[in-house]
């Protein structure tokens, strides 16, 4: 009987020790790589801001725009997460999180000093490749450039011509549209470019 307990206890102790060592190794790896990953993410975001608002010389984060205080789209699906102001007054670039077909979609919207959109880009998504991602292609997103208001922020299908939405990908298109609407609302709430 005692031999059976020892045969059972030995593998449990070995497996527990292996789990402990692996957990410590993972914690150490996470500690070492988390700052590198964060720096890479910030560099990618900074490059996207520069691309969306090329007239800006540098950016400063607007401290009072957070996920809790950021403007929300009319349909409630998109919220501004942060805003960066161009130090030379050229405008803003805002990060917006919205609800799409595959889940959360993160995008950035550039606005010039007059409130016109300078560019839109999707930075993270889980939508269906080849279907929902058609709404994320540069040619489609270019439709927003120059717009300073949407005629139908709550429904992409009612947006005024010459705006075109993609059939079969309307959930993704509406998510992006809602994100643009939230960014325009945030711009208005901040009183335009300072």
């Amino acid at each position: 009987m005692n031999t059976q307990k020892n045969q059972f206890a030995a593998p449990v102790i070995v497996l527990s020790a292996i789990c402990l060592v692996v957990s410590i190794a993972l914690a150490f790896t996470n500690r070492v790589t988390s700052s590198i990953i964060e720096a890479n993410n910030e560099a990618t975001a900074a490059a996207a801001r520069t691309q969306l608002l090329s007239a800006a010389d540098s950016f400063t984060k607007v401290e009072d725009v957070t996920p809790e205080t950021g403007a929300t789209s009319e349909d409630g699906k998109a919220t501004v997460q942060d805003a960066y102001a161009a130090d030379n007054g050229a405008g803003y670039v805002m990060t917006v999180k919205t609800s799409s077909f595959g889940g959360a979609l993160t995008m950035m919207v550039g606005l010039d000093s007059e409130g016109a959109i300078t560019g839109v880009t999707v930075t993270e998504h889980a939508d269906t490749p080849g279907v929902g991602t058609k709404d994320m292609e540069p040619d489609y997103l270019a439709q927003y450039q120059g717009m300073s208001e949407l005629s139908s922020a709550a429904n992409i299908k009612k947006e005024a011509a010459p705006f075109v939405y993609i059939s079969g990908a309307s959930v993704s298109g509406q998510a992006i549209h809602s994100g643009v609407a939230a960014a325009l609302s945030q711009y208005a709430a901040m009183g335009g470019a300072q």
Side-chain angles (χ1 to χ4, degrees), residues 23-80:
S23 296
I24 291 170
L26 285 172
F28 176 75
T29 301
N30 182 56
R31 184 179 190 133
V32 170
T33 60
S34 64
S35 61
I36 296 167
I37 291 168
E38 190 172 320
N40 287 342
N41 288 342
E42 182 51 40
T44 301
R49 283 191 285 276
T50 301
Q51 183 180 10
L52 290 171
L53 190 62
S54 59
D57 53 357
S58 59
F59 292 93
T60 301
K61 185 173 183 174
V62 178
E63 294 300 327
D64 59 344
V65 179
T66 66
E68 294 77 30
T69 63
T72 301
S73 62
E74 192 177 308
D75 61 7
K77 292 183 178 181
T79 304
V80 174

Side-chain angles (χ1 to χ4, degrees), residues 78-182:
T79 304
V80 174
Q81 303 295 295
D82 64 36
Y84 281 79
D87 293 333
N88 63 356
Y92 294 96
V93 176
M94 299 177 197
T95 304
V96 183
K97 190 169 275 190
T98 182
S99 177
S100 189
F101 184 78
L105 181 146
T106 305
M107 57 188 282
M108 296 176 94
V109 180
L111 296 136
D112 68 14
S113 60
E114 302 297 316
I117 296 169
T118 59
V120 178
T121 189
V122 175
T123 57
E124 188 176 336
H125 70 88
D127 285 358
T128 309
V131 180
T133 56
K134 289 180 181 179
D135 289 319
M136 301 170 201
E137 293 175 1
D139 290 342
Y140 177 81
L141 295 173
Q143 294 183 95
Y144 289 104
Q145 288 181 342
M147 295 176 117
S148 55
E149 64 180 330
L150 301 175
S151 58
S152 180
N155 189 343
I156 191 171
K157 294 177 183 177
K158 294 183 180 177
E159 190 60 47
F163 191 88
V164 177
Y165 75 94
I166 299 172
S167 294
S170 59
V171 176
S172 301
Q174 183 60 50
I176 293 168
H177 203 65
S178 296
V180 169

